[in-house]
Amino acid sequence: MILTDLNIAYIETNLKFYGINNQNLKEDLMDHICTHIECFNGNDFDKAYKEAIENLGGYTSFQLMQKESNEKKLIQ
């Protein structure tokens, strides 16, 4: 599946909505999500996106990663 600029913007907006503000984490998640969608066998973006999020542990998992990233900054 080929991603459009609108698809990429949608993914980025959702990550921001769910509190992912660390640039490195956001880029890593974007890369994993986009790669999964591009390898998806079909043309249904919504289905591919949902599957990608589930395979990565869901938004709760993303928020936990962001929290851990924030805590590491405080410790340093």
Side-chain angles (χ1 to χ4, degrees), residues 2-21:
I2 297 173
L3 290 169
T4 66
D5 289 341
L6 286 174
N7 296 141
I8 294 168
Y10 176 82
I11 296 166
E12 191 168 3
T13 299
N14 275 329
L15 291 176
K16 185 176 181 180
F17 176 78
Y18 283 99
I20 308 306
N21 53 30

Side-chain angles (χ1 to χ4, degrees), residues 64-76:
L64 181 58
M65 286 184 245
Q66 179 64 61
K67 181 181 176 203
E68 289 172 356
S69 174
N70 292 345
E71 289 171 351
K72 285 179 184 177
K73 285 181 185 177
L74 291 174
I75 292 171
Q76 295 176 351

Side-chain angles (χ1 to χ4, degrees), residues 47-62:
K47 185 175 180 181
Y49 179 72
K50 182 178 178 183
E51 185 178 289
I53 298 301
E54 288 174 2
N55 284 346
L56 292 170
Y59 287 114
T60 302
S61 172
F62 298 172

